[in-house]
Amino acid sequence: MLPLQADMEFTAKQIAELLQGTVDGNAEAKVSRLSKIEEGTEGSLTFLANPAYTQFIYTTNASVAIVNSDFVAEKEISATLVRVENAYASFAKLLEVYNTIQRNKVGIDSHAFIESSSSYGADVYIGAFTYIGKNVKIGDRAKIYPNVYVGDNCTIGNDTTIFPGTQIYSDCVIGNHVTLHAGCVIGADGFGFQPNSENNYQKVAQIGNVIIEDHVDVGANSSIDRATLGSTIIRKGVKLDNLIQIAHNVEIGENTVIAAQTGVAGSTKIGKNCMIGGQVGIVGHLTIADGTKIAAQSGVGSNITKPNEILQGSPAFGIGDYKRTYVVFRKLPDLERKIQDLEKTIASLRDKASS
Amino acid sequence: MLPLQADMEFTAKQIAELLQGTVDGNAEAKVSRLSKIEEGTEGSLTFLANPAYTQFIYTTNASVAIVNSDFVAEKEISATLVRVENAYASFAKLLEVYNTIQRNKVGIDSHAFIESSSSYGADVYIGAFTYIGKNVKIGDRAKIYPNVYVGDNCTIGNDTTIFPGTQIYSDCVIGNHVTLHAGCVIGADGFGFQPNSENNYQKVAQIGNVIIEDHVDVGANSSIDRATLGSTIIRKGVKLDNLIQIAHNVEIGENTVIAAQTGVAGSTKIGKNCMIGGQVGIVGHLTIADGTKIAAQSGVGSNITKPNEILQGSPAFGIGDYKRTYVVFRKLPDLERKIQDLEKTIASLRDKASS
Amino acid sequence: MLPLQADMEFTAKQIAELLQGTVDGNAEAKVSRLSKIEEGTEGSLTFLANPAYTQFIYTTNASVAIVNSDFVAEKEISATLVRVENAYASFAKLLEVYNTIQRNKVGIDSHAFIESSSSYGADVYIGAFTYIGKNVKIGDRAKIYPNVYVGDNCTIGNDTTIFPGTQIYSDCVIGNHVTLHAGCVIGADGFGFQPNSENNYQKVAQIGNVIIEDHVDVGANSSIDRATLGSTIIRKGVKLDNLIQIAHNVEIGENTVIAAQTGVAGSTKIGKNCMIGGQVGIVGHLTIADGTKIAAQSGVGSNITKPNEILQGSPAFGIGDYKRTYVVFRKLPDLERKIQDLEKTIASLRDKASS
């Protein structure tokens, strides 16, 4: 294992060993940070994968560059090259290693508070001013940053990271390898009120919970409400961006991806492998078929039963139809004039015909 | 009072006593949790109110089911029935009792910090790592969860609950029986800037406050800005969902309900008993009449003076007109073709007429 | 310097000295708070700048009113007048002084925790339950409220204020005179995932940071993601409202102002002096020219290359065209009927012509 750390140098040779690549140039060139190719400086490691950036390989000041094994230089290059099978994948791997080391926090901060009825696994990190309620179970290698609240009876899986300022209400279940970014609220009460005779609203108690399965990511300041009864469920592999609203009793299918600021109203079931753009609104009590794609800012107001459709608009319909419709929409003043012209022409034709 | 607690069993007979109902079946059947009828398991208590779910009463594994007194079984039922006047209302009451017991936290956590000039009433809960500023007054039975900030000179009413991670700036007034969900920000500066000669912006200091009256609910991660001068006011009985933005000097009338991700810009006054959908945007300095209903994703750009209208669109107009308009919008490519056809036909008619 | 404090009185004469104005009436009239002219009460100081409010100067109960030097009273006024060059600017100055005094917190709270490798300047405020990570540098007069998290290696400039509950991930750079309102998340991971062969997503590590330059304001519960590599950059003088989403690798140019709930997707570059309305969505990898104005709820899906354009719609186009188009949009059912009428008329004309 390469001793790659945030504050230490490593050589082109060491990088090549880690990535199972070959060195082309000075194998002792040293780097201590990662950079974009166009922003490379002495001591930085970069990569070339996208052909559109090829020009920069000849001018970059980065000390080492990872390139595809079939890359052929057309001019002189000052950087040492490390040739690998897939430059992008190799660089992504380095990013990940770097990130893992950067975030390799372990230990219970003396300013954290954990109720005595709770338990935690090996090698966890629990940061300052984080409060862990009663009967909470925290898995191995979980990392819980400062200022987090984990309510009573929650479960947090192995290898799960909860970033600072996230608040988890009681009784929620968070799986393994989950990432909750900062400022998330998991398990707040669903928005359930019954109108009463005096024109005001009686709250319907929300006693369900939220279940987040393995490998889910939730973005910063997103909120996922607990179910009235039963569970709001985020299935395995779901990726949610920032500032997303998931209402009570919603279920989101495996590997569905949702972009920022989208909202899903109560009891809607979204299928697997869907891709939902930003600022989309989906009304409650709907079923959205597997593989559905929804363009940004769209509104979905009825069930989507056919899988793999692509929709746009508010209310949304087929994206091709939407785009064609919008082209005509932009010509509306022109169409109106044409209709007025037609009306005049016809009036005069009629006059002639009847004269 | 029935000793209904999260971790203890109770019998069908005890439930019938609490709900003033009658038992039909084994009065000693024991339950320890609440469930949906289709998810009932041994030891769970469920209910049947919606006729669409009647089929499940014959197959549920719940031990006890609350039903309407006039329910007539058509097949054998394994669950003990508790017959009551209104099954839904009775079950909602149980949910509420359950919730109240679950959340019955009392006491000042030793990891909370309260400035000595502040005071609090009887039976309050103040959680770990919560900071209460100077001259704050907290009412009886208020519950303030961990990681909350209450700025100087704030007032928090009786029976009010503030969930974890909510931040309240100085000088704000929170009424009785209010619920602020996690991650709310109450009283941040309004977005007020004066352009100056150098093409940049000078902040206008915001020295007003926020007043939240009794029986208001505010959802997770919502923000309500303080007034420039005077108060941003949320009237009695207002219900706000998650991720809502209320700008400075806004006033929202009694019992108005607003769904998630809606934004109201500065100085707008919204009437009583309005219902506003999700992701709606309302521009500043408007007046919205009592009883107005606004469909999700709409944009309101001018005053609404007539009460009880229902609006849709961006900019919004009457919902019936909007729906009729949208039907034609979807046919726009078709309409354009028809106009082109008409133009051709008329051209040929004119040619004939002039020949 | 006038000893203007939240809890002390001052006289009309003292105010006139501070504002370099003249007194008209009782120079010893005392005030202890600021109010709107229509809400003035005994002991309050108000102002008259907007002619639309002139009526209130004759009825206000405020004890002192700041007016423009050329103001001519048409009736008797009970308030003492302080005449100044620019009443609005003078009052704004008072608001600011008031605010500065109100928020003049200094000192390190004993319930804050600062890692020993971090440093801070003169006269800082660091509130209770705030955690400052390793190698953090905090400037002079910075104010960091309670419940804040500042990750390792961050820099916080001079005179910068971070309100409670804001979370800043490691390695971010916050300039001088910056204000981050409560609940912000700065530097969370960008939403970067690579689809893999098994229909699920592999996270792309995000190792860049966020740079916020001087004089930037960020509203409550907004989130600004860190770059994949390099920096997400918010330039000098940018003003962001509440609940805004700024994705990874975005750059926002100097003095651009963005209203609440707007989202900007990854790698988009927004120019200087832009004004972007609320609930706008801007897709990724775009360039938006300097001085662009975008109406609320619009969606921008392509580059804007010409400076100073004003756009509306989703997708957005010129605001004048949009408004004209929307007028016709609202008449669509009518237009459809006209087309149907035309078709009938022509059919009958054709019948006649061919008969």
Side-chain angles (χ1 to χ4, degrees):
Chain A
M1 178 67 191
L2 186 79
L4 170 62
Q5 289 189 0
D7 53 355
M8 75 175 297
E9 290 186 326
F10 44 110
T11 64
K13 184 157 170 276
Q14 288 174 305
I15 292 161
E17 279 167 8
L18 175 72
L19 301 176
Q20 298 179 283
T22 57
V23 177
D24 189 348
N26 175 14
E28 295 308 315
K30 288 193 172 95
V31 290
S32 61
R33 63 190 173 282
L34 308 176
S35 73
K36 296 187 205 175
I37 193 162
E38 68 273 29
E39 296 174 353
T41 52
E42 197 185 320
S44 79
L45 169 67
T46 190
F47 75 114
L48 173 63
N50 183 341
Y53 286 77
T54 303
Q55 49 170 317
F56 295 112
I57 192 75
Y58 305 109
T59 57
T60 187
N61 291 318
S63 299
V64 179
I66 298 167
V67 299
N68 288 327
S69 51
D70 59 0
F71 170 72
V72 180
E74 297 179 343
K75 295 188 231 169
E76 206 180 336
I77 294 172
S78 71
T80 298
L81 303 185
V82 172
R83 294 177 179 278
V84 296
E85 188 93 358
N86 180 332
Y88 181 81
S90 289
F91 195 73
K93 185 178 171 186
L94 278 185
L95 287 181
E96 203 186 321
V97 170
Y98 180 90
N99 216 14
T100 302
I101 290 168
Q102 280 277 56
R103 293 181 173 168
N104 190 25
K105 292 185 178 286
V106 174
I108 314 283
D109 192 289
S110 63
H111 297 80
F113 185 76
I114 304 172
E115 295 284 356
S116 60
S117 53
S118 290
S119 64
Y120 47 85
D123 301 324
V124 301
Y125 166 56
I126 299 182
F129 312 128
T130 277
Y131 171 81
I132 309 291
K134 293 170 182 161
N135 306 314
V136 172
K137 285 181 185 55
I138 299 173
D140 296 338
R141 298 169 303 281
K143 295 189 197 315
I144 304 182
Y145 278 71
N147 303 346
V148 169
Y149 169 82
V150 181
D152 299 344
N153 312 312
C154 286
T155 303
I156 312 287
N158 298 326
D159 301 293
T160 280
T161 299
I162 301 176
F163 282 101
T166 280
Q167 316 294 329
I168 306 175
Y169 284 53
S170 61
D171 302 302
C172 293
V173 178
I174 314 292
N176 303 313
H177 295 279
V178 168
T179 301
L180 304 180
H181 275 290
C184 285
V185 175
I186 308 296
D189 289 351
F191 195 61
F193 299 94
Q194 285 286 108
N196 70 16
S197 53
E198 293 146 34
N199 221 356
N200 60 31
Y201 292 87
Q202 176 68 31
K203 183 183 172 74
V204 177
Q206 306 282 317
I207 70 156
N209 73 345
V210 174
I211 297 175
I212 295 180
E213 295 188 351
D214 300 348
H215 295 284
V216 167
D217 276 53
V218 182
N221 283 336
S222 286
S223 59
I224 303 174
D225 283 350
R226 71 197 306 107
T228 311
L229 209 56
S231 301
T232 303
I233 305 177
I234 312 298
R235 296 278 178 214
K236 193 179 162 192
V238 167
K239 308 296 178 191
L240 303 180
D241 201 349
N242 299 344
L243 290 161
I244 282 176
Q245 151 71 355
I246 305 296
H248 51 171
N249 293 86
V250 164
E251 181 176 337
I252 302 184
E254 284 186 24
N255 298 324
T256 281
V257 176
I258 304 184
Q261 296 179 316
T262 282
V264 183
S267 299
T268 283
K269 309 289 176 222
I270 297 179
K272 300 179 192 177
N273 304 317
C274 295
M275 296 186 73
I276 300 176
Q279 298 182 338
V280 167
I282 303 182
V283 308
H285 298 275
L286 298 185
T287 301
I288 308 295
D290 292 351
T292 299
K293 291 193 171 80
I294 304 173
Q297 294 194 322
S298 296
V300 179
S302 53
N303 290 327
I304 300 173
T305 52
K306 202 177 141 195
N308 305 315
E309 295 213 295
I310 312 181
L311 303 163
Q312 186 169 12
S314 174
F317 52 96
I319 196 167
D321 289 338
Y322 185 84
K323 287 187 187 308
R324 277 184 289 276
T325 299
Y326 202 77
V327 166
V328 185
F329 170 76
R330 293 188 56 167
K331 295 188 283 190
L332 274 180
D334 192 41
L335 287 196
E336 188 185 33
R337 262 191 309 276
K338 285 185 176 178
I339 291 171
Q340 288 162 349
D341 289 350
L342 284 169
E343 285 174 328
K344 280 181 214 157
T345 311
I346 285 182
S348 84
L349 279 173
R350 196 153 43 173
D351 288 351
K352 280 187 200 168
S354 62
S355 67
Chain B
M1 178 67 194
L2 185 81
L4 170 63
Q5 290 191 358
D7 53 355
M8 74 176 297
E9 290 185 326
F10 44 110
T11 65
K13 184 157 170 275
Q14 288 174 304
I15 293 160
E17 279 166 7
L18 175 72
L19 302 175
Q20 297 180 283
T22 58
V23 177
D24 190 350
N26 175 14
E28 296 308 315
K30 290 193 173 97
V31 290
S32 60
R33 64 192 173 281
L34 308 176
S35 73
K36 296 188 203 175
I37 192 162
E38 69 273 29
E39 294 175 353
T41 52
E42 198 184 320
S44 80
L45 170 66
T46 191
F47 76 113
L48 172 63
N50 183 341
Y53 286 78
T54 304
Q55 49 170 320
F56 295 112
I57 191 75
Y58 304 110
T59 55
T60 187
N61 291 319
S63 299
V64 179
I66 298 167
V67 298
N68 288 327
S69 50
D70 60 359
F71 171 72
V72 180
E74 295 179 344
K75 294 188 231 169
E76 206 179 338
I77 295 172
S78 70
T80 297
L81 303 184
V82 171
R83 293 177 179 278
V84 296
E85 187 93 1
N86 181 329
Y88 180 80
S90 289
F91 195 73
K93 186 178 169 187
L94 279 185
L95 288 181
E96 204 186 321
V97 170
Y98 180 90
N99 216 14
T100 304
I101 290 169
Q102 280 277 56
R103 291 179 174 172
N104 190 25
K105 291 184 179 287
V106 175
I108 313 284
D109 193 290
S110 63
H111 298 80
F113 184 76
I114 304 172
E115 294 285 355
S116 59
S117 53
S118 290
S119 64
Y120 47 86
D123 300 325
V124 301
Y125 166 56
I126 299 182
F129 312 128
T130 277
Y131 171 82
I132 309 291
K134 292 170 182 161
N135 307 314
V136 173
K137 285 180 184 55
I138 299 174
D140 296 338
R141 297 169 304 279
K143 295 190 196 315
I144 304 182
Y145 278 71
N147 302 346
V148 168
Y149 169 82
V150 181
D152 298 345
N153 312 312
C154 285
T155 302
I156 312 286
N158 299 325
D159 301 293
T160 281
T161 299
I162 301 175
F163 281 101
T166 280
Q167 317 292 330
I168 306 175
Y169 284 53
S170 62
D171 302 303
C172 292
V173 178
I174 314 291
N176 303 312
H177 295 279
V178 168
T179 301
L180 304 181
H181 274 289
C184 285
V185 175
I186 309 296
D189 288 352
F191 195 62
F193 299 93
Q194 284 285 110
N196 70 15
S197 53
E198 292 146 35
N199 221 357
N200 60 30
Y201 292 87
Q202 174 70 28
K203 183 183 173 73
V204 177
Q206 307 282 316
I207 71 155
N209 73 344
V210 174
I211 297 175
I212 296 181
E213 295 188 351
D214 300 348
H215 295 284
V216 167
D217 276 53
V218 181
N221 282 336
S222 285
S223 59
I224 304 176
D225 282 352
R226 71 196 307 107
T228 311
L229 209 57
S231 301
T232 303
I233 305 177
I234 313 296
R235 295 280 179 213
K236 193 179 161 191
V238 166
K239 307 297 178 191
L240 304 179
D241 200 350
N242 299 343
L243 290 161
I244 283 175
Q245 151 71 354
I246 306 294
H248 51 169
N249 293 87
V250 165
E251 181 177 336
I252 302 184
E254 284 187 21
N255 298 323
T256 281
V257 176
I258 304 183
Q261 296 179 317
T262 282
V264 183
S267 299
T268 283
K269 309 290 177 222
I270 297 180
K272 298 178 192 177
N273 304 317
C274 296
M275 296 186 73
I276 300 176
Q279 297 182 337
V280 167
I282 303 182
V283 309
H285 297 277
L286 298 186
T287 301
I288 309 294
D290 293 350
T292 299
K293 292 193 170 82
I294 304 173
Q297 293 193 323
S298 296
V300 178
S302 52
N303 290 326
I304 299 174
T305 53
K306 201 176 141 197
N308 304 315
E309 294 213 296
I310 311 180
L311 303 163
Q312 186 169 11
S314 175
F317 51 97
I319 195 169
D321 288 340
Y322 184 84
K323 287 190 187 305
R324 276 184 290 276
T325 299
Y326 201 77
V327 166
V328 184
F329 171 77
R330 293 188 55 168
K331 295 188 284 191
L332 274 179
D334 192 40
L335 287 196
E336 190 185 33
R337 262 191 306 277
K338 285 184 177 180
I339 292 170
Q340 289 163 349
D341 288 349
L342 284 169
E343 285 174 327
K344 281 181 212 156
T345 310
I346 286 182
S348 84
L349 278 174
R350 199 157 38 178
D351 288 352
K352 280 187 200 168
S354 62
S355 68
Chain C
M1 177 66 192
L2 184 81
L4 170 63
Q5 289 191 358
D7 54 356
M8 73 176 298
E9 290 185 325
F10 44 109
T11 65
K13 185 159 170 275
Q14 288 175 305
I15 293 161
E17 279 168 6
L18 175 72
L19 301 175
Q20 298 178 284
T22 58
V23 177
D24 190 348
N26 176 15
E28 296 309 313
K30 289 190 172 100
V31 290
S32 61
R33 64 190 172 282
L34 308 176
S35 73
K36 296 187 202 174
I37 192 162
E38 68 274 29
E39 295 174 354
T41 52
E42 198 185 318
S44 80
L45 169 67
T46 190
F47 76 114
L48 173 63
N50 183 340
Y53 286 77
T54 304
Q55 48 168 322
F56 295 112
I57 191 77
Y58 305 110
T59 56
T60 187
N61 292 317
S63 299
V64 179
I66 298 166
V67 299
N68 288 327
S69 51
D70 60 1
F71 170 71
V72 180
E74 297 179 344
K75 294 188 233 171
E76 207 181 336
I77 294 172
S78 70
T80 298
L81 302 184
V82 172
R83 293 176 179 280
V84 297
E85 188 94 358
N86 182 329
Y88 181 81
S90 290
F91 194 73
K93 185 178 171 187
L94 278 185
L95 287 181
E96 203 186 322
V97 171
Y98 180 90
N99 216 15
T100 303
I101 290 170
Q102 279 277 57
R103 293 180 174 170
N104 190 24
K105 292 186 178 287
V106 175
I108 313 283
D109 193 290
S110 63
H111 298 81
F113 185 76
I114 305 171
E115 295 284 354
S116 59
S117 53
S118 290
S119 63
Y120 48 86
D123 301 324
V124 301
Y125 166 56
I126 299 182
F129 312 128
T130 277
Y131 172 82
I132 308 292
K134 293 170 182 159
N135 307 315
V136 172
K137 285 180 185 55
I138 299 174
D140 296 338
R141 297 170 303 280
K143 295 190 196 316
I144 304 182
Y145 278 72
N147 303 346
V148 168
Y149 169 83
V150 180
D152 299 344
N153 312 312
C154 286
T155 302
I156 313 286
N158 298 326
D159 301 294
T160 280
T161 299
I162 301 175
F163 282 101
T166 280
Q167 317 293 331
I168 306 174
Y169 286 51
S170 62
D171 303 301
C172 292
V173 178
I174 316 290
N176 303 313
H177 295 279
V178 168
T179 301
L180 304 181
H181 274 290
C184 285
V185 175
I186 308 297
D189 288 352
F191 195 61
F193 299 94
Q194 284 286 108
N196 70 15
S197 53
E198 292 145 36
N199 221 357
N200 59 31
Y201 292 88
Q202 175 70 29
K203 183 181 173 73
V204 177
Q206 306 283 315
I207 70 155
N209 73 345
V210 174
I211 297 175
I212 295 181
E213 295 187 351
D214 300 348
H215 294 285
V216 168
D217 276 52
V218 181
N221 282 337
S222 285
S223 59
I224 304 175
D225 283 350
R226 71 197 307 106
T228 310
L229 209 58
S231 301
T232 303
I233 305 176
I234 313 296
R235 295 281 178 211
K236 192 179 161 192
V238 166
K239 308 297 178 191
L240 303 180
D241 201 349
N242 299 343
L243 289 161
I244 283 175
Q245 152 70 356
I246 305 296
H248 51 170
N249 294 86
V250 164
E251 181 177 336
I252 302 184
E254 284 187 23
N255 298 323
T256 280
V257 176
I258 304 184
Q261 295 179 316
T262 282
V264 182
S267 299
T268 282
K269 309 289 176 221
I270 297 179
K272 299 179 192 177
N273 304 316
C274 295
M275 295 186 73
I276 299 177
Q279 297 181 338
V280 167
I282 303 182
V283 309
H285 297 276
L286 298 185
T287 301
I288 309 293
D290 293 350
T292 299
K293 292 193 171 79
I294 304 173
Q297 292 192 323
S298 296
V300 179
S302 52
N303 290 327
I304 300 173
T305 52
K306 202 176 141 196
N308 304 314
E309 294 214 297
I310 312 180
L311 303 163
Q312 186 170 10
S314 174
F317 52 97
I319 195 168
D321 288 340
Y322 184 83
K323 286 189 188 307
R324 276 184 290 276
T325 299
Y326 201 76
V327 166
V328 184
F329 170 75
R330 291 188 55 167
K331 295 188 282 191
L332 274 179
D334 193 41
L335 287 196
E336 190 184 33
R337 260 191 309 278
K338 286 184 178 181
I339 293 170
Q340 288 163 351
D341 289 348
L342 285 168
E343 285 174 328
K344 280 181 214 157
T345 310
I346 286 182
S348 84
L349 278 173
R350 197 154 41 175
D351 287 352
K352 281 185 199 169
S354 64
S355 67

